[in-house]
Structures are given as C-alpha cells and as structure tokens.
Amino acid sequence: MNYVPTRITADGRDGYPVEAGRYRLIAARACPWANRAIIVRRLLGLEGAISMGLTGPTHDQRSWTFDLDPGGVDPVLGYERLQQAYFARFPDYPRGITVPAIVDETDGKLVTNDFAQMTLDLSLEWTAFHREGAPELYPEHLRDEMDVVMKRVFTEVNNGVYRCGFAGSQESYEAAYDRLFVALDWLEERLAGRRFLMGESITEADVRLFTTLARFDPVYHGHFKCNRQKLSEMPVLWAYARDLFQTPGFGDTTDFAQIKKHYYVVHSDINPTQIVPKGPDLAGWLTPHHREELGGRPFGDGTPPGPPLPAEVVPASGAALAA
C-alpha cells in the first residue's frame, strides 16, 4: 500500500511545521502499526504537544470509527469516521483508511498516514517538545545497522504474520510460516546475549518488534495459524517481550481486549463466527523476566516516562492482570 508521504518537520518543508497543539494523532489500540505511534509519543513525552484520538477496535469496509467517544464523535475533530479527515484533503482518496494518521486540527485534514516515517519524525523533528529525559530512539551512530534490523523485522515478522494469516493456498501459507519462524529463531539468537535489539538501550527497533510480539499468542498463533510455538514457548523472546511490557510506555499502552476484538471480528473471512476467544491467560506478562541480568540501560542517558494521562489509561478490561 502507498501511504501519504507528507511529513511534519521542524523546517516545515512540506507545509506542515512542527507546532505544539496543532496536530492530532488518530490511533487504534488494536492495530500494531498504530500502537507503535502511541508508544513513541508516550516515551518521548509528546502528550502535551500532540493530542490523541482513539478509534474503536473494529471498523467496517469504509473506515475506522470513533465508537469510544460520546455520541461516536471525536471530540476535537467532530468526525464520526476517520475517513472524513482523508476526504477533507483528498476528496477521491482511493486507498484504505488506515491508522495511525495525523490530522491538522486547524482544518480537519489528514496530514500523513505513513506509519514508518511518522515515528522516526516524532524522534527527530519534534525534539523541541520532547520531555526532559526522553530516550534517543533512533541514535545516529546505530542507524545503518538499525535500518537493516528493522527492515528484516518488518518484512519477516510484522508483515510475516499477515502473510500466514491471509495466505490463499496451502503452499503460500507454508512458505510464509517457514519464513516467519526462521526470523523468530534469528531474533531468539540475537537477543540471547543483548538486552535489546540494538544493545543496551531501547530503540525504535524494539518498539516495532514489540507490537507484533504482544499480539502473537492472543491472535497470530491461532487466528493466523502461526502455531509452531507460542511466544510463551520461545524462552528468549518471551523474556524480552515481558521486559518491554513491564517498561512504562509498552504494557500500559497495550489493550488485549481491543486487540482480540479487532482481529476476530473484522476478519470475518478467516473467522466467520466472529467469536472472540476468552484466552490466553495474561498473568504471565507480569512475571519476572530476569533480563536485567544482561545489564543495559533501558532509557540510555534518559529516564522512564511518567504515568499515562488519566484519559489515556488502558481500561481494566484490556489490561494484563494486576500483579
């Protein structure tokens, strides 16, 4: 899919300069691509500079909708459907209406839905509004290696689970399955001796991997037939995922109820009954991971973010069980 490549930059070269209070991130907790933007915004402390609207976990063929808001209307944009922001800028927009999206609050028009560039720009272009102690998620000295790692994570894992789930033949499914687990085995090996993907501190690469791992056992293992093992049966990746989950910004932005409802209800071609599974048990996410034994400094020279804004706390129905 081609995304709207407009960027919000410090120099405003695309016509959209970085400006606190002007833009609204529209996201869905259910969506792994949107979950990335939610995490990065929180890690960098951009809540006061960029507002956030959340859609419901399901959508129809037309658009994500603001089911969670009173009257089903986003309180800032006044929209019932994210589609309205897309059409405000592109009346004949021909592609899918996707999250995350950033909308200009001044005119209600979509700015960008380029999820990969979006989070990098939050790190690199919005530095004037980062909180004190914000981590460096895309450090310059690691970028060449990071780009290689993130490309493999994207093609083989983030997209790999979808290739399995939407395979149209036994042959294509088995090929996708093999590719996915080759990559997961590579990650098990890579993370065995280092706490995070790029070493001792959390980076954008970890954010991108985490959102797929969080959905693996609740959705991808069964719904997408990625069932060689559960995440909880891959010792290194499971400990790594728990380490991140227990880090402010990761687990506290993860809503398992919305995640399950999205996939099992929206993908009616795969799950015609639209029955949402009760499991799996979430208590394991809060068990000790022992990854601190590898050392490392999760936020580098920075500090963890504070608690989420009261309006952005994940409902108890979707959170992992309290310890």
Side-chain angles (χ1 to χ4, degrees):
M1 176 180 284
N2 295 318
Y3 293 91
V4 177
T6 308
R7 294 174 60 188
I8 300 169
T9 56
D11 64 7
R13 58 185 176 272
D14 284 0
Y16 292 96
V18 165
E19 189 178 322
R22 176 172 173 178
Y23 304 101
R24 187 161 178 80
L25 170 66
I26 302 300
R29 293 197 192 279
C31 169
W33 321 104
N35 198 174
R36 295 178 179 186
I38 296 172
I39 292 170
V40 169
R41 171 178 172 270
R42 177 140 149 63
L43 293 179
L44 298 176
L46 288 169
E47 294 98 329
I50 305 171
S51 70
M52 182 169 72
L54 294 171
T55 70
T58 62
H59 57 78
D60 57 25
Q61 291 188 335
R62 288 169 56 200
S63 177
W64 294 86
T65 50
F66 294 101
D67 310 335
L68 306 177
D69 292 307
V73 175
D74 180 87
V76 172
L77 301 175
Y79 292 155
E80 295 179 357
R81 294 175 168 273
L82 179 56
Q83 183 185 57
Q84 292 168 265
Y86 278 69
F87 287 175
R89 183 172 174 199
F90 304 105
D92 299 315
Y93 189 76
R95 298 188 289 275
I97 307 299
T98 60
V99 287
I102 293 182
V103 179
D104 188 341
E105 292 184 13
T106 64
D107 59 13
K109 295 181 180 180
L110 173 78
V111 179
T112 183
N113 63 348
D114 186 344
F115 64 90
Q117 188 62 50
M118 185 186 298
T119 48
L120 296 180
D121 283 345
L122 293 180
S123 281
L124 301 179
E125 301 292 336
W126 284 81
T127 52
F129 298 101
H130 287 182
R131 65 178 175 87
E132 186 177 352
E136 197 173 357
L137 296 178
Y138 194 47
E140 191 165 4
H141 69 286
L142 292 176
R143 284 179 201 169
D144 288 347
E145 184 186 0
M146 270 186 76
D147 289 345
V148 173
V149 170
M150 291 194 299
K151 182 177 181 180
R152 187 169 183 186
V153 167
F154 175 72
T155 59
E156 304 304 298
V157 181
N158 302 145
N159 265 352
V161 293
Y162 282 85
R163 268 197 302 273
C164 292
F166 290 103
S169 68
Q170 187 70 35
E171 182 179 30
S172 61
Y173 160 69
E174 291 187 9
Y177 174 103
D178 290 343
R179 279 181 65 178
L180 170 64
F181 281 99
V182 164
L184 291 175
D185 289 342
W186 162 68
L187 288 166
E188 278 272 300
E189 184 177 341
R190 181 178 180 90
L191 289 163
R194 64 177 86 195
R195 189 163 176 188
F196 303 107
L197 278 174
M198 301 310 303
E200 68 173 13
S201 301
I202 291 166
T203 65
E204 169 91 15
D206 299 292
V207 175
R208 295 184 179 198
L209 177 57
F210 172 79
T211 59
T212 295
L213 296 182
R215 289 156 177 75
F216 200 89
D217 287 3
V219 176
Y220 303 143
H221 178 272
H223 186 58
F224 280 177
K225 306 178 184 69
C226 302
N227 63 352
R228 190 190 78 179
Q229 292 156 285
K230 297 175 183 174
L231 174 65
S232 59
E233 294 165 347
M234 293 180 259
V236 173
L237 274 173
W238 176 223
Y240 162 82
R242 298 197 319 275
D243 188 5
L244 289 174
F245 185 87
Q246 294 170 31
T247 298
F250 289 84
D252 56 24
T253 61
T254 302
D255 188 324
F256 289 107
Q258 288 200 23
I259 287 167
K260 290 193 297 182
K261 186 172 182 180
H262 169 70
Y263 285 92
Y264 287 101
V265 171
V266 171
H267 299 160
S268 56
D269 49 343
I270 299 176
N271 185 42
T273 65
Q274 298 181 303
I275 292 171
V276 179
K278 285 188 71 173
D281 185 347
L282 301 175
W285 280 102
L286 297 172
T287 58
H289 52 76
H290 304 296
R291 295 283 290 179
E292 68 278 359
E293 295 169 11
L294 291 170
R297 301 176 302 146
F299 290 94
D301 294 331
T303 57
L309 298 176
E312 297 180 5
V313 172
V314 172
S317 60
L321 300 176

